[in-house]
Structures are given as C-alpha cells and as structure tokens.
Amino acid sequence: MLGLDRVLVLLLGLVLVVLGVAAIGWQTGFLADVWPDVPDSVDVDSSRVTGSSSFVAIALAVGVVLVGLGLWWLLAHLPRRGVAPLRLPAGPLPGVLTVEPGPAVATAADVLSDDPRILSVRGAVLTERGRLVVRLRVTAYPDADLADVIGACHDVLADLARVLPEEQLTSRVEITVLRRAAARARVR
C-alpha cells in the first residue's frame, strides 16, 4: 500500500510540475522557443460537450467515483487505534486461538505499578514499521535503584511473553525518574 501511494504521488507530482512549467513557459514565451508550433491561444468550444444530453449523467457518475476514491484513500490512511487480536500457536485441537494484546499489556502495567519503587506505569500496544510493539512507560521514584526497576520490568515482560506470542511482539520500556520525591501513600 505504501509503495502504491508513493508511486501515485510521484506521478501526480510530476504531472503537476510539467503542467505548471508549461503554463509558465507559455505565458512568458519560453514554450514557443522549445515548441515552435505552440498556439498563441486556445479556443475551446465547451458547449459541444456540456450541451450533450448525457453530460449531466456522465459528470454525476465521474463525481461519485472521484468522491468514492477520495474517501477510500483517506480512510485507508487513518491511523489505526487498536491492534487486531494475535494468533496463538496451533495446538493439538483444530481451530484458531487468538488473544487480545491490550488487556494483557494493561494487566502487566498494573502488576508493574504495584512495585514500591515505581510511581506509575502506562502500557500500550502499537504498530510501528509493521511490527507490534509493547510499550511500557514507567515513572520511578528518584531513590529507586534503576537496576532493580529494570529487573522488575524484565520480569513483567517475561510473564507477558508467556501470555502473548513473543515472536510477534517487540517490547520497549521507557523509564522516567522523578526529579523530586513525590509524597508516597502511607498505609497504617
């Protein structure tokens, strides 16, 4: 899809550049130097086309097709919010098993946010360059040992890899450390 888009945009761009240069060259007289038979003016009798009995129907059909193509192109390029269910490896029973990655990643973020060294975690499943990426954004307390926070993230991602098909996923953890210690909730 991306290759087709690029080719179409390249061709449309080249056509527009050539037409623009030709129009400028025609007005400045440069086109007559390159193409000696260029007419000085164009006299078009549009009444032969627009006066036809089928002109309205043809114009309407062309307009509907162009609007349909434009809407299809725009909808095909809207960013996708969600990720489709992932197929689990085939087992001994017939059928297809799938898993929704969003709730699994949300649960992993909840488990990680229970760690006392971590203030908050947000998890998401994204599509980047054709790959599914599990992104965890972790906010840690300033007094937390980063090696321990990284270890906790690694453990949660290892648990997540048991739930989701790991060959279909890539993970990215973004750790932010608070500058000042935030007030932690006290339990009595």
Side-chain angles (χ1 to χ4, degrees), residues 112-127:
L112 192 56
S113 66
D114 288 341
D115 191 301
R117 299 167 289 225
I118 295 174
L119 175 66
S120 66
V121 180
R122 288 182 301 176
V125 182
L126 312 167
T127 304

Side-chain angles (χ1 to χ4, degrees), residues 37-97:
D37 296 335
V38 67
D40 292 333
S41 66
V42 178
D43 185 24
V44 177
D45 183 19
S46 62
S47 64
R48 290 190 318 184
V49 175
T50 59
S52 168
S53 62
S54 61
F55 173 73
V56 174
I58 292 173
L60 183 63
V62 168
V64 167
V65 167
L66 289 176
V67 166
L69 284 173
L71 288 175
W72 170 80
W73 190 83
L74 287 173
L75 290 175
H77 291 84
L78 283 177
R80 304 280 188 251
R81 289 281 179 196
V83 176
L86 301 176
R87 248 183 135 158
L88 294 174
L93 298 175
V96 177
L97 294 175

